[in-house]
Amino acid sequence: MRITKKLLVAGAGVVSLIACGGAAYATASAAAEAAAPIALTATAPAAPKVTAEQAIAIAHRQVPGAWIREVELDRNGAAPDVWEVKLIKGSQRYEVKVNAASGKITKSEIDRDHDRDDDHGGRGRDHAEDD
């Protein structure tokens, strides 16, 4: 009976070593997979050839002396991506769109809706108040 106990204890020890070794192997495999680079199925959008700083410089040439209010890259899918640069000069607001690949200005306009959005009940500053 003593030999049977020894075999049972030895067998239990072997089984626990195998189980722990399997768990350690599985953990090591999972860690290796997590550290491996992930292959993307969809291609990441390419960085624009024209940087934000270059788009700002182009917009400043269009509206000299203006302050930059906002710069945003508009990704337009099939259409070319554009930098939308919003500027302020005096009381005027401007919007300049710069092609992110070529650096050419695709749109430049004064934001005329700005005067209607002020705190004067929908009236621009140049309208007289009715008394």
Side-chain angles (χ1 to χ4, degrees):
M1 202 172 238
R2 256 180 122 153
I3 294 177
T4 308
K5 278 186 177 180
K6 285 183 181 181
L7 285 176
L8 284 175
V9 170
V14 169
V15 169
S16 71
L17 283 175
I18 291 172
C20 290
Y25 176 76
T27 303
S29 295
E33 286 179 17
I38 297 172
L40 299 176
T41 55
T43 58
K49 291 180 182 178
V50 176
T51 65
E53 292 82 10
Q54 291 169 326
I56 290 169
I58 293 166
H60 269 145
R61 285 194 296 269
Q62 184 71 20
V63 186
W67 290 84
I68 300 299
R69 184 169 62 104
E70 181 180 344
V71 178
E72 179 180 0
L73 179 62
D74 287 338
R75 297 209 180 262
N76 295 326
D81 296 340
V82 294
W83 285 106
E84 185 177 290
V85 184
K86 295 183 179 180
L87 308 105
I88 297 175
K89 184 175 181 181
S91 63
Q92 291 291 319
R93 293 185 183 193
Y94 298 85
E95 182 177 314
V96 178
K97 292 191 177 185
V98 179
N99 184 306
S102 67
K104 293 186 179 185
I105 295 174
T106 59
K107 183 178 181 182
S108 178
E109 67 182 7
I110 296 173
D111 186 3
R112 302 218 185 265
D113 293 333
H114 158 63
D115 288 337
R116 284 177 268 193
D117 294 338
D118 61 11
D119 294 330
H120 298 289
R123 298 181 188 179
R125 291 184 182 155
D126 57 341
H127 292 91
E129 293 287 330
D130 293 333
D131 291 357

